[in-house]
Amino acid sequence: MATYQLIVNNQAVEVDAQPDTPLLWVLRDNLQMTGTKYGCGKALCGACTVHLDGSPVRSCSTPISTVGDKKITTIEGYSEPVVHRVQEAWIAEDVPQCGYCQSGQIMSAIALLEQNPSPTDDDIDQAMAGNICRCGTYVRIRRAIKRAAKGGNQ
Amino acid sequence: MKEQQDKSTVFKVNRRDFLKTGTLGMTGLMLGVQFSCSDKSKLLTGNPDVVFTPNIFISISGSGDVTLIAHRSEMGTGIRTSLPLILADELEADWKRVKIEQAVGDSKYGDQNTDGSYSVRMFYEPMRRMGATVRLMLEQAAAREWGVDVSECKAKNHEVVHTSGKAFGFGYLAEKAVDLPVPEEGSLTLKTPEDFNYITKKTSIYDLQDIATGSAVFGMDYDLPGAKVAVMSRNPEAGPGIRSFDGEVALQVPGVLQVFTLDNPGFPTTHDKALGGVVVVADSTWAALQGKKALRIQWESGINADYDSESFQQDMLSRARKPGKVRREQGNVTEAMSRAVKTVEGEYLVPHLAHAPMETPCAQALVTDNVCEVWAPVQDPQWTRRAVAAALGFDEDSVKVNVTLLGGAFGRKSKPDFAVEAALISRQSGFPVKLLWTREDDIQHDFLHFLSAQYLKVGIDENNRVNAWLHRTVFPPIGGTSNLSEKEPSGFEVSMGHVDNPFDIPNMSCETQEAPAKVRIGWLRSVANIHHGFAVGCTLDEVAEARGVDPAQNLIELLGADRKIDFGALTADFWNYNEKIEEFPWDTARFRNVIEVVRDKSGWGKSMPKGSGMGIAAHRSFLTYVACVVEVTVDDKGQIRIPMVHYAVDCGVPVNPERIKSQFEGGAAFAASLALKSRISVKGGKVEQDNFDGYQVARITDAPYDTLVHIVESSEKPTGVGEPPVPPFIPALCNAIYAATGKRIRQLPISLG
């Protein structure tokens, strides 16, 4: 067991965990932040997507010992305007069905839009292909990303 | 399996339970909700400590808050919104003032088995009558206060308004209505469609904001104080137990607290017993998973240790080529086939499929003394309650099942085995527990969709009419998972696209053959309609080609004159999704209509560039009529893309059109998984895939780029939309691929290599 100082959603926290513990389980078990979901444990489905210094990572396959002082942002950490914009677009387009994968979808979409404010269909395909939605909300995910890219209007 | 449903149950129970209570219990919730109004003729709120609970689904507080019970499970269909919305509409409640509470599993709510696409169908009328009953009581209370006749009082948007213009709010009336007798059913007036506020209008789902901000509570998200995490290792072959195991290394993993075994059920496993195996209980999820990895287990072999799904399916196919047990017969197929001038013949194979909801099965449980409480994402909380009680040897009354949101289900979470496991683990460990199924557990130990083999042969006579239809289907029935003697599809399974063939063909034979279940078989979204819809829809396209008729026109011609088909007279096996055929007829006019609508809306017949094509198919399932046109492009490397899908749907009154559309968009993507990507194979009794690398599902790049849903306006009784999108999509896609490439698809998943 080791102690880690983390910055999660702009807050400093301290956790005790085995070094190989994936960030996903630190968030869920140690910090009771359950917005980030388990889907596959092998970085195949994207349900656990969070940001490290603004880049999307699969938290199920990111050992806590590798996080260092990088800033962790989760679905609960809505302080940036782009996050609001994406969440609002998700609501405006009524994207979710069961909703389970949507935290990961939204985190991937935010990362895409931060890097590329006006993504093409191909850009969206590339950025979002790692996130599975078994309910099949893909049509609306694409629409919501485009809406958010336009500043929320469509 | 599915329970027999009694539509009247809920209403009867409610009339008996029609309690009028003033309680102080919700004071804390009510404080702070004050509505001021300068118009003194309007008294909107009353005593905030009073809660008027005229029945178990509706309560109204003195402050005007309306709480409605959602008694069916939310797995993504929007039912947690749609049924309360029906209540709110008839009640004339303002949806913005409505809170929804999820019911525990209890027979007092009537049927809670959220499965089979029947929630709206079964509860549309009861919910309307319940809402109308309470609306009338509020109107009666207002009339009494004003000393006027109730006919002068009308509930409207959370108020009761008198013809003079004065009004009372629902909050004010809550206390006044408490002592009123429950009106007789005969005195109720249901709203007319033009007065609907929410039914047939667009409403977002209740949990939308929580989902978008990550605060929605799914199975593992509930915070059960002091809970330990449990994971299990189960025999790769369903049913047998453990020969030997060594948990010593696992116990040395930091954080691992206990390692013990659960009994195995043998085979057949049933649909509600725990599979058994070795349990690891730990302080944290990661410790539990590391402990599981460190287990050393020798599994017993059982009667299915040699099961090889590929060779089994070939064996099924060879039987499909031979005459089988006749489940529907008319005319003389053999004789008619001999007179045919053209025949169309095809063999169709669909593999085992896994549900793979994004949230794996999981459950939390706390067993203390003789009481058990469960929190779990289950489709059928009453079955869960019964199964947990049976496994623990408790009375049902000692088991409470709380239903969280379900992170997808598709039929998997109907089966309560995982909740049973959690309860047994809590009892044995002495801890409150959170049981997690890993994705590997989910795919390796699912209740798989049947694998199937079908043979179809169609005869066309000298007048270019279809005069003979032979359809043999072979697949292991769901019942075989509970009873080894069930080896042949039952009536409900052949009534999903096999014997319920609506086409007007004089000579027909629908046959089955035996195929025993070798793994746990369960129902997957749209069930046997998946493989039957595929085979029938593709065959019809070949028939169109053989006849030289446009495929859409071919469907309409084969359907014949508009009529209501009395399938009961055609086959003893017919099952109308638990509904009487008189109440929900098989209406070929509605079927023809959706075909025509989709044909006209999709631009059917337009010229398509090289490498692209359109395909059409139609299928009635779960009493809903659906036709589908798929547009496809296939590049030089065989890469398939689906730029556009059109659906026409007739589901009776479209209660929540926004969610109907989302179910069809999602249904197309789900069906795209089955058509293009998904396959489970079993070798040596063990599922060969274990995660989303081996068991692939549609991603944003595979799913349709766009899906347009054309909803037929209707005043017919509403029917479900969860499953009906899936069956016609697959043949429509295959037929589009044929149009684009000239290659016929007879096996799923599609391979153009």
Side-chain angles (χ1 to χ4, degrees):
Chain A
M1 200 74 88
T3 301
Y4 296 93
Q5 320 279 337
L6 306 174
I7 304 161
V8 183
N9 298 335
N10 289 323
Q11 287 203 315
V13 294
E14 193 175 284
V15 297
D16 291 325
Q18 295 293 333
D20 59 352
T21 308
L23 174 58
L24 168 66
W25 300 117
V26 171
L27 290 170
R28 292 187 57 91
D29 288 355
N30 298 59
L31 300 172
Q32 283 77 50
M33 296 174 68
T34 55
T36 306
K37 305 300 185 197
Y38 167 79
C40 70
K42 285 186 174 173
L44 297 167
C45 78
C48 66
T49 305
V50 300
H51 294 184
L52 283 188
D53 278 348
S55 296
V57 299
R58 310 303 183 205
S59 64
C60 75
S61 304
T62 305
I64 195 65
S65 60
T66 67
V67 172
D69 57 3
K70 294 193 194 81
K71 285 185 179 173
I72 302 161
T73 312
T74 72
I75 187 73
E76 291 99 340
Y78 39 89
S79 57
E80 312 296 325
V82 64
V83 181
H84 271 306
R85 224 165 57 230
V86 171
Q87 285 172 325
E88 288 306 316
W90 242 251
I91 289 167
E93 295 290 351
D94 290 294
V95 173
Q97 289 184 29
C98 85
Y100 190 81
C101 74
Q102 298 296 344
S103 299
Q105 303 279 1
I106 288 171
M107 295 308 287
S108 289
I110 291 167
L112 165 65
L113 289 168
E114 278 185 330
Q115 200 205 350
N116 178 355
S118 10
T120 63
D121 277 330
D122 283 347
D123 297 335
I124 293 172
D125 280 352
Q126 207 158 7
M128 304 304 293
N131 288 77
I132 296 173
C133 173
R134 192 73 166 130
C135 297
T137 62
Y138 298 122
V139 169
R140 297 191 192 206
I141 286 172
R142 188 184 301 277
R143 225 185 278 154
I145 291 172
K146 290 179 178 175
R147 176 189 279 265
K150 290 179 186 164
N153 304 313
Q154 195 166 35
Chain B
M1 197 40 224
K2 291 170 187 169
E3 296 156 52
Q4 205 57 37
Q5 295 120 31
D6 178 1
K7 274 166 73 165
S8 61
T9 309
V10 163
F11 203 64
K12 282 181 188 153
V13 170
N14 285 326
R15 285 191 62 81
R16 200 170 57 235
D17 279 10
F18 230 87
L19 305 173
K20 293 163 287 297
T21 53
T23 77
L24 302 174
M26 295 177 77
T27 310
L29 290 175
M30 301 309 161
L31 294 176
V33 185
Q34 293 295 334
F35 285 80
S36 60
C37 183
S38 55
D39 179 357
K40 295 295 176 204
S41 71
K42 279 193 178 185
L43 284 166
L44 296 184
T45 59
N47 181 351
D49 292 343
V50 170
V51 179
F52 171 48
T53 306
N55 68 34
I56 53 171
F57 283 87
I58 301 175
S59 57
I60 304 172
S61 77
S63 55
D65 286 327
V66 169
T67 302
L68 303 178
I69 296 291
H71 73 300
R72 305 195 52 94
S73 298
E74 182 56 75
M75 61 189 118
T77 63
I79 202 62
R80 187 172 134 86
T81 302
S82 298
L83 289 183
L85 202 65
I86 297 167
L87 273 178
D89 201 327
E90 281 289 350
L91 180 59
E92 274 294 329
D94 177 356
W95 187 245
K96 292 193 285 298
R97 305 287 307 279
V98 168
K99 292 190 173 74
I100 294 177
E101 272 180 22
Q102 189 69 34
V104 298
D106 193 320
S107 56
K108 72 181 179 185
Y109 295 109
D111 187 300
Q112 290 181 277
N113 176 17
T114 317
D115 193 271
S117 302
Y118 64 78
S119 295
V120 167
R121 186 212 314 166
M122 181 179 275
F123 288 99
Y124 181 65
E125 282 290 324
M127 289 291 163
R128 291 187 67 190
R129 301 188 81 80
M130 265 191 280
T133 302
V134 179
R135 164 164 52 84
L136 178 57
M137 292 176 81
L138 293 169
E139 288 169 346
Q140 288 171 336
R144 188 170 61 179
E145 288 295 298
W146 286 319
V148 300
D149 192 84
V150 69
S151 64
E152 296 167 30
C153 305
K154 197 166 164 52
K156 190 79 198 159
N157 196 31
H158 235 76
E159 295 176 4
V160 175
V161 185
H162 183 247
T163 45
S164 66
K166 61 189 175 185
F168 288 133
F170 280 10
Y172 176 79
L173 291 170
E175 187 174 12
K176 309 295 178 193
V178 161
D179 66 336
L180 284 173
V182 179
E184 288 302 315
E185 267 192 64
S187 63
L188 299 179
T189 312
L190 297 185
K191 290 170 74 171
T192 51
E194 56 271 23
D195 288 333
F196 285 156
N197 299 321
Y198 307 116
I199 296 168
T200 69
K201 311 285 196 308
K202 177 187 186 299
T203 308
S204 295
I205 54 170
Y206 183 72
D207 300 294
L208 183 56
Q209 179 82 28
D210 286 350
I211 289 169
T213 54
S215 60
V217 176
F218 295 89
M220 291 299 273
D221 301 339
Y222 175 74
D223 186 13
L224 177 59
K228 307 299 179 190
V229 180
V231 295
M232 284 184 66
S233 199
R234 300 169 187 81
N235 194 326
E237 181 190 347
I242 301 156
R243 190 177 303 152
S244 65
F245 89 99
D246 178 357
E248 283 310 307
V249 184
L251 279 166
Q252 284 161 25
V253 172
V256 170
L257 302 169
Q258 298 177 4
V259 175
F260 56 85
T261 61
L262 289 188
D263 290 344
N264 62 297
F267 196 87
T269 59
T270 79
H271 287 95
D272 60 3
K273 286 203 180 104
L275 270 181
V278 183
V279 181
V280 178
V281 179
D283 276 333
S284 70
T285 311
W286 189 241
L289 292 172
Q290 298 304 104
K292 176 179 171 174
K293 215 189 278 181
L295 293 170
R296 298 289 170 265
I297 308 169
Q298 297 286 314
W299 299 107
E300 286 286 2
S301 284
I303 57 173
N304 300 316
D306 61 349
Y307 179 48
D308 179 318
S309 58
E310 206 156 308
S311 62
F312 191 81
Q313 193 177 37
Q314 285 305 316
D315 186 46
M316 284 165 53
L317 179 59
S318 64
R319 271 175 283 143
R321 291 174 182 140
K322 297 175 192 134
K325 181 175 166 185
V326 177
R327 311 297 290 266
R328 174 183 169 187
E329 185 172 37
Q330 62 203 58
N332 185 331
V333 163
T334 313
E335 187 272 332
M337 210 69 88
S338 71
R339 284 191 287 112
V341 295
K342 285 184 213 160
T343 57
V344 167
E345 199 172 6
E347 296 171 347
Y348 293 86
L349 300 174
V350 180
H352 281 305
L353 298 163
H355 298 78
M358 289 315 296
E359 175 194 51
T360 54
C362 58
Q364 305 194 35
L366 172 57
V367 179
T368 47
D369 299 327
N370 292 318
V371 178
C372 173
E373 187 161 5
V374 169
W375 297 260
V378 286
Q379 287 176 247
D380 190 347
Q382 289 177 29
W383 189 11
T384 306
R385 192 185 194 196
R386 286 195 302 276
V388 167
L392 294 171
F394 288 3
D395 292 337
E396 261 186 65
D397 289 345
S398 307
V399 177
K400 182 177 179 184
V401 176
N402 305 278
V403 182
T404 64
L405 291 176
L406 284 63
F410 314 113
R412 171 61 184 94
K413 293 171 185 169
S414 295
K415 296 86 171 171
D417 57 317
F418 51 98
V420 171
E421 287 177 346
L424 291 171
I425 293 167
S426 176
R427 176 162 72 180
Q428 187 145 349
S429 68
F431 291 120
V433 298
K434 292 175 175 242
L435 170 72
L436 175 74
W437 279 49
T438 63
R439 180 59 63 192
E440 287 78 7
D441 296 336
D442 172 51
I443 289 178
Q444 299 229 295
H445 306 289
D446 194 9
F447 292 86
L448 296 173
H449 175 74
F450 358 67
L451 84 171
S452 60
Q454 296 171 83
Y455 171 82
L456 287 94
K457 188 173 181 185
V458 183
I460 298 165
D461 69 14
E462 66 279 10
N463 297 316
N464 206 26
R465 284 187 307 223
V466 175
N467 71 336
W469 179 275
L470 172 63
H471 182 178
R472 297 196 192 112
T473 182
V474 187
F475 58 101
I478 289 167
T481 298
S482 292
N483 181 352
L484 283 185
S485 68
E486 290 191 36
K487 293 178 182 167
E488 205 148 352
S490 61
F492 88 87
E493 286 161 320
V494 293
S495 296
M496 295 180 164
H498 181 231
V499 301
D500 55 333
N501 184 317
F503 295 102
D504 190 9
I505 300 168
N507 302 287
M508 191 176 281
S509 184
C510 299
E511 304 170 13
T512 57
Q513 290 265 9
E514 286 193 355
K518 297 283 190 176
V519 290
R520 297 202 295 181
I521 304 284
W523 46 102
L524 170 73
R525 188 179 191 175
S526 87
V527 203
N529 290 295
I530 294 171
H531 52 270
H532 292 149
F534 164 52
V536 171
C538 290
T539 299
L540 287 165
D541 202 62
E542 296 199 39
V543 168
E545 187 180 37
R547 296 180 65 221
V549 174
D550 167 76
Q553 183 60 27
N554 180 60
L555 296 177
I556 293 164
E557 285 181 16
L558 263 54
L559 206 47
D562 289 351
R563 67 204 183 281
K564 288 174 178 153
I565 304 174
D566 179 11
F567 274 106
L570 298 174
T571 165
D573 278 315
F574 182 66
W575 173 80
N576 200 37
Y577 297 89
N578 282 336
E579 298 288 357
K580 290 189 181 125
I581 192 90
E582 306 84 61
E583 288 187 37
F584 289 87
W586 215 121
D587 187 343
T588 64
R590 294 175 73 184
F591 197 60
R592 177 182 47 76
N593 184 52
V594 291
I595 295 166
E596 290 172 351
V597 169
V598 84
R599 178 195 64 194
D600 298 343
K601 297 281 186 185
S602 65
W604 176 255
K606 69 186 176 190
S607 81
M608 302 284 286
K610 188 172 178 294
S612 44
M614 292 173 106
I616 189 168
H619 193 90
R620 172 194 185 262
S621 65
F622 304 89
L623 313 176
T624 292
Y625 300 82
V626 184
C628 181
V629 167
V630 174
E631 283 182 31
V632 80
T633 64
V634 184
D635 71 14
D636 298 344
K637 296 179 191 120
Q639 176 73 41
I640 298 164
R641 287 283 193 144
I642 306 166
M644 179 59 82
V645 177
H646 286 269
Y647 275 113
V649 51
D650 178 353
C651 57
V653 175
V655 172
N656 189 349
E658 201 284 318
R659 284 296 98 177
I660 293 170
K661 288 183 178 171
S662 69
Q663 281 304 291
F664 275 79
E665 292 163 8
F670 192 88
S673 284
L674 311 186
L676 297 171
K677 312 287 284 188
S678 302
R679 174 178 176 266
I680 291 287
S681 55
V682 187
K683 222 177 179 65
K686 178 184 192 302
V687 170
E688 293 188 293
Q689 297 73 23
D690 69 359
N691 211 314
F692 289 122
D693 42 1
Y695 186 69
Q696 300 221 5
V697 298
R699 294 171 183 270
I700 195 168
T701 42
D702 309 300
Y705 178 84
D706 205 357
T707 296
L708 296 182
V709 185
H710 312 286
I711 301 172
V712 172
E713 272 188 42
S714 172
S715 55
E716 299 277 354
K717 296 188 193 90
T719 52
V721 294
E723 294 166 273
V726 175
F729 174 91
I730 297 171
L733 170 65
C734 295
N735 297 338
I737 290 171
Y738 177 74
T741 66
K743 184 173 162 54
R744 287 289 177 194
I745 307 297
R746 299 236 176 83
Q747 182 167 9
L748 300 184
I750 294 164
S751 168
L752 295 179

